[in-house]
Amino acid sequence: MRSVYIFTIVLLLTALQTRAQNPLRRLPGMSGMGGGSKGQDSLKHRDNLEDSITIRFRFLDSSRMQKFDSSVVDFRSKYPLPANYTSLGNTGSAARAFAFHPLMNSGWDPGFHAFDIYKIRMDQVRFFQTTRPYSELGYLLGSRSEQIIHLMHTQNIKPNWNAAFQYDLINSPGFFKNQNVAHNRYLFNTHYQSKNKRYNLYFVLLANVMQANENGGIRDDQDYLDNVTTYKERSSIPVQLGNYVRPEQSFLNSKLNTGNRQSSTTFLLRQQYDLGKKDSVVTDSTVQKLFYPKLRMEYNVQYSLHKFKYYDAEPDDSFYVKHYNFLTALNNGFTLEEHWKDLVNDFSLYSFPDERNAQQFLKAGFSFQNLTGDFSDGRRTFYNMFLHGEYRNRTRNRKWDIQASGKFYLAGFNNGDFDFNASLQRFLSRKLGYASIGLQNVNRTPSYIYETSSSFSFGAMPTFNKENVTRIYGAVNNDEYRWRLAASYYLVSNFAYFKNYYVTDQASALFNVFNIEAEKTFRVGRRWHWMANVQINQRLGDGPVNMPLFFTFQRFGYEGNLGFKNLSFAAGLEGRYFSPYKADQYSPLQSQFFYQDTMQISMKFPDLTAYLHFRIRGFTLYLRAENLNTASFAGGSFGWTNNNLAAPYYPTPGFQLRLGIFWSFVN
């Protein structure tokens, strides 16, 4: 690690003196980092430079172009786990949000979501438009050989054809036995538009491979965390699963000993053909061809492969007998597996009422889905037929934004499922920003893991009714003055859940969940800022949901350039705290968080982090000292042993030193 720090210091001194061109200055809104209003240069005065670049992106189901975020303050924008999530004590381990986030999609769902936060989703795929090839390299090195890698490259093969590739790796051995995770994410996507702008082709190849060893938490027969004389080294604490594994702090240690391996691969091909009106704009030297669609025909074919596996090389019968009392005398190499193939064919029509506004349209479509599941006792096939529709309108003056979408299952395995979402956003004023309100309702068949035929379902499951969740939400957001206020109200009936390590149940009683979130950045001095994010969560009624009543994440520090034109610098302290609550426990065999109401966890001291972040031209560095709150002098010696609990029997890590770099290149 020492050589890495020396290299970083030399690089910093060199970059501060160099006069080489800043590649990010050629990106919209990224010039003169920390240098004031000039950072909003739109490049219109430098379009004739040979190496200038204009790069923007949009998501698959949006026509709204967006720009990169150039901020260096928020480390979480480059780190896979948001501040309002908690994991089981290691980067990449099963994670959940502190607030209530039920599934709000109808239709078939396999039921495995403990690693969702680390995956690339289809709605996160970015389609770029760039005048020059652009690349990103990210590398994070942390304590105990933790490593996170990010690679991305995009370029326009032709002015009307772009391709992009992305790869991400998370590898972290963890601080406790049998915690190693090895996650890989792959993405290739391309967009082609014909020269006459009538035809569009989108292709996406997306893969997530999640592998996490499971230790079942530390053993509960002694106070191992408080015994800092014998167990000052946290990796020596006995765990409930995989206790036979010797802790190895190695980047290459990616063996699955006892744990879960879940993978999903998705291919998407979308083709569109537009009918409409041709036009052109004539300037002094060029003729720019335009096309305004009136009717769009769209065909989508999406094919997905899902594989879920739990494996234990040397099963400990005492754990399985205690928590899964029907599993006894297991053989070495104990395995549970379930595979799915999912094929969806979809045809949709779009109508554009205003030919000059492509962000106003009405969409209607029909989909047919084929499902094939391979289980321990054989193969089963299912199908679904469903209708879907959508209306969007972002007015030309950008003051109103209306969205409404819905889906209804006509026949098949999920017959009768539906979901609906409608929202309205309005620009109020410069001081107030944007206000939005919305209504969402979903009526869904519980996930397939609740079915008796699932490989991860032990014993006969009860018959479940359809879940129904209604959400009413609203927000006021002002980016200029850096504040946000949001609220959500949930009305839940027939909520399906796990009530212990393997038994499922359904809450017949109606209950409500209320969430308020507020965030504001205060200017304490000329360059000193205090960001405070606060959440209030409250359940009303008797429902199997537990959340901390109060959660806060706060940051206080310096933001400026220290007198250097090309430097953007941030340093300070971050803190995170949640009020005591009965946190969900975790079932390793099914990778499910389950409801419990007997054990309350609380923080010994709020999580505390010291950070130093800076950007010089296209280079960004993150240096962080995390979990300073774990410092302890117990037992007469100093150590990082004052661990909080993330969940019952799952301690958070001790002190972590993280060094991350993020480098962008314009080729």
Side-chain angles (χ1 to χ4, degrees):
M1 291 290 288
R2 181 180 299 176
S3 61
V4 175
Y5 299 144
I6 294 174
F7 168 76
T8 303
I9 294 172
V10 173
L11 184 64
L12 169 60
L13 295 175
T14 304
L16 284 172
Q17 298 299 324
T18 185
R19 294 182 180 274
Q21 186 177 17
N22 172 11
L24 284 181
R25 290 186 65 185
R26 293 169 279 169
L27 300 181
M30 290 192 179
S31 62
M33 303 307 302
S37 60
K38 292 182 179 179
Q40 303 302 318
D41 185 0
S42 65
L43 300 179
K44 63 183 179 180
H45 299 300
R46 292 180 280 124
D47 284 341
N48 59 344
L49 293 180
E50 181 181 354
D51 60 353
S52 64
I53 179 174
T54 301
I55 179 169
R56 296 187 179 186
F57 66 89
R58 65 182 180 84
F59 298 105
L60 181 63
D61 289 315
S62 173
S63 59
R64 190 174 305 174
M65 303 301 292
Q66 301 188 40
K67 301 177 183 179
F68 287 108
D69 180 8
S70 61
S71 172
V72 299
V73 178
D74 186 11
F75 169 73
R76 299 283 175 168
S77 64
K78 299 293 189 294
Y79 184 72
L81 202 64
N84 58 354
Y85 268 67
T86 182
S87 70
L88 294 180
N90 188 26
T91 304
S93 61
R96 59 177 177 80
F98 285 105
F100 181 57
H101 289 296
L103 290 176
M104 298 297 290
N105 290 311
S106 59
W108 174 81
D109 174 74
F112 301 88
H113 298 285
F115 302 99
D116 280 2
I117 195 63
Y118 307 109
K119 299 177 182 178
I120 302 178
R121 304 190 310 268
M122 189 62 69
D123 61 357
Q124 294 174 324
V125 176
R126 297 177 296 178
F127 290 88
F128 296 92
Q129 184 66 34
T130 176
T131 56
R132 300 281 293 178
Y134 174 79
S135 303
E136 292 178 350
L137 168 63
Y139 180 72
L140 183 143
L141 181 63
S143 301
R144 307 293 177 104
S145 300
E146 175 190 74
Q147 300 194 57
I148 298 177
I149 297 174
H150 167 76
L151 302 172
M152 192 276 283
H153 176 77
T154 182
Q155 69 179 77
N156 271 50
I157 302 170
K158 293 183 177 180
N160 57 333
W161 183 13
N162 177 271
F165 170 78
Q166 180 178 330
Y167 170 73
D168 298 281
L169 166 73
I170 301 175
N171 188 293
S172 180
F175 279 63
F176 297 84
K177 281 186 181 180
N178 202 43
Q179 266 193 329
N180 182 71
V181 301
H183 299 336
N184 292 272
R185 312 189 307 184
Y186 311 85
L187 171 64
F188 172 77
N189 60 285
T190 184
H191 171 220
Y192 169 81
Q193 184 179 58
S194 62
K195 292 183 179 180
N196 62 9
K197 302 183 183 297
R198 291 180 179 270
Y199 176 75
N200 285 276
L201 182 143
Y202 300 85
F203 176 79
V204 178
L205 170 58
L206 173 63
N208 294 286
V209 182
M210 306 285 113
Q211 179 175 293
N213 282 293
E214 307 278 9
N215 62 20
I218 62 174
R219 291 189 175 175
D220 57 354
D221 55 331
Q222 296 183 38
D223 294 327
Y224 293 105
L225 288 178
D226 296 331
N227 187 350
V228 297
T229 302
T230 306
Y231 299 106
K232 183 176 181 179
E233 172 51 53
R234 306 277 89 174
S235 62
S236 64
I237 295 178
V239 294
Q240 301 191 59
L241 281 173
N243 200 53
Y244 61 90
V245 178
R246 291 185 178 181
E248 298 181 27
Q249 298 173 17
S250 170
F251 172 69
L252 300 176
N253 179 26
S254 58
K255 181 181 178 181
L256 182 63
N257 303 302
T258 298
N260 284 283
R261 180 180 174 87
Q262 303 177 1
S263 65
S264 60
T265 303
T266 299
F267 304 84
L268 171 69
L269 178 66
R270 170 175 292 182
Q271 299 183 80
Q272 298 174 336
Y273 188 81
D274 294 348
L275 302 175
K277 178 182 177 181
K278 294 189 295 183
D279 202 348
S280 62
V281 175
V282 180
T283 64
D284 293 339
S285 58
T286 62
V287 177
Q288 182 181 359
K289 294 183 179 180
L290 302 175
F291 180 77
Y292 301 108
K294 291 293 292 182
L295 178 68
R296 172 175 296 165
M297 295 170 284
E298 177 182 279
Y299 172 69
N300 292 277
V301 57
Q302 180 172 310
Y303 181 65
S304 301
L305 298 172
H306 306 281
K307 297 181 180 180
F308 307 100
K309 176 182 178 179
Y310 177 82
Y311 174 77
D312 193 338
E314 299 182 24
D316 182 349
D317 284 353
S318 63
F319 175 82
Y320 295 104
V321 170
K322 179 180 180 180
H323 299 298
Y324 309 85
N325 55 16
F326 54 89
L327 294 176
T328 59
L330 299 172
N331 296 321
N332 287 353
F334 168 61
T335 303
L336 292 173
E337 286 190 90
E338 182 172 306
H339 299 170
W340 286 92
K341 299 176 183 177
D342 177 14
L343 176 64
V344 179
N345 285 275
D346 171 80
F347 181 76
S348 300
L349 290 175
Y350 295 71
S351 174
F352 297 87
D354 185 350
E355 64 180 22
R356 303 271 176 175
N357 184 6
Q359 297 191 58
Q360 180 186 8
F361 64 82
L362 181 65
K363 174 185 176 182
F366 172 80
S367 298
F368 188 86
Q369 181 181 35
N370 293 100
L371 294 163
T372 302
D374 290 310
F375 310 93
S376 55
D377 61 346
R379 171 174 292 184
R380 297 176 182 85
T381 59
F382 308 95
Y383 78 95
N384 279 310
M385 292 190 296
F386 58 92
L387 300 173
H388 59 91
E390 184 174 3
Y391 174 73
R392 292 190 191 181
N393 183 15
R394 191 185 190 198
T395 57
R396 291 190 194 179
N397 61 14
R398 300 178 181 271
K399 289 188 175 182
W400 291 95
D401 198 341
I402 305 169
Q403 295 189 41
S405 61
K407 184 167 55 176
F408 180 76
Y409 283 77
L410 298 171
F413 179 75
N414 296 99
N415 180 32
D417 282 18
F418 64 84
D419 61 66
F420 171 79
N421 186 17
S423 65
L424 175 65
Q425 180 174 276
R426 174 72 160 89
F427 177 75
L428 300 177
S429 68
R430 182 171 171 267
K431 289 186 177 181
L432 293 177
Y434 288 87
S436 61
I437 58 171
L439 172 66
Q440 192 173 6
N441 180 257
V442 59
N443 193 70
R444 62 182 301 272
T445 303
S447 301
Y448 198 85
I449 197 171
Y450 292 92
E451 295 284 334
T452 302
S453 56
S454 171
S455 297
F456 293 84
S457 170
F458 305 129
M461 291 290 188
T463 300
F464 287 96
N465 297 318
K466 291 185 183 294
E467 294 179 335
N468 191 278
V469 181
T470 300
R471 177 186 176 222
I472 303 172
Y473 57 95
V476 181
N477 185 71
N478 191 312
D479 291 334
E480 182 174 353
Y481 291 94
R482 303 174 72 176
W483 63 270
R484 178 171 60 91
L485 177 64
S488 291
Y489 170 77
Y490 295 91
L491 180 65
V492 187
S493 64
N494 294 327
F495 185 68
Y497 67 102
F498 278 77
K499 65 180 181 180
N500 63 24
Y501 278 83
Y502 68 94
V503 178
T504 60
D505 203 352
Q506 190 166 41
S508 57
L510 190 72
F511 67 94
N512 308 275
V513 176
F514 191 63
N515 167 266
I516 299 178
E517 181 177 0
E519 182 174 307
K520 169 64 178 172
T521 299
F522 303 91
R523 175 172 288 184
V524 181
R526 183 182 177 187
R527 294 293 185 181
W528 293 86
H529 297 81
W530 169 35
M531 188 281 291
N533 177 282
V534 176
Q535 290 183 16
I536 302 295
N537 305 294
Q538 181 64 58
R539 185 194 71 201
L540 306 173
D542 187 16
V545 175
N546 281 328
M547 305 156 292
L549 174 64
F550 176 79
F551 168 84
T552 183
F553 174 73
Q554 308 207 16
R555 180 192 304 119
F556 179 81
Y558 172 89
E559 300 174 25
N561 61 9
L562 299 177
F564 295 94
K565 179 180 179 181
N566 295 315
L567 174 67
S568 182
F569 182 88
L573 294 173
E574 290 179 355
R576 187 175 74 162
Y577 173 79
F578 59 81
S579 58
Y581 76 113
K582 296 174 181 177
D584 288 349
Q585 284 188 252
Y586 181 71
S587 173
L589 265 73
Q590 297 148 312
S591 63
Q592 301 289 321
F593 287 96
F594 64 88
Y595 173 76
Q596 63 88 25
D597 61 355
T598 57
M599 183 176 179
Q600 179 172 273
I601 68 170
S602 60
M603 304 187 80
K604 297 179 180 179
F605 196 81
D607 295 334
L608 186 63
T609 297
Y611 67 91
L612 185 154
H613 307 160
F614 66 81
R615 182 200 296 276
I616 304 172
R617 307 185 187 279
F619 175 79
T620 304
L621 181 140
Y622 301 94
L623 181 61
R624 299 171 60 83
E626 301 187 359
N627 298 327
L628 298 173
N629 53 287
T630 60
S632 173
F633 290 92
S637 62
F638 178 77
W640 303 100
T641 56
N642 194 30
N643 307 77
N644 287 317
L645 286 177
Y649 309 115
Y650 284 93
T652 59
F655 174 76
Q656 289 181 289
L657 187 63
R658 286 190 168 119
L659 174 66
I661 63 171
F662 185 84
W663 213 324
S664 58
F665 305 89
V666 178
N667 302 329

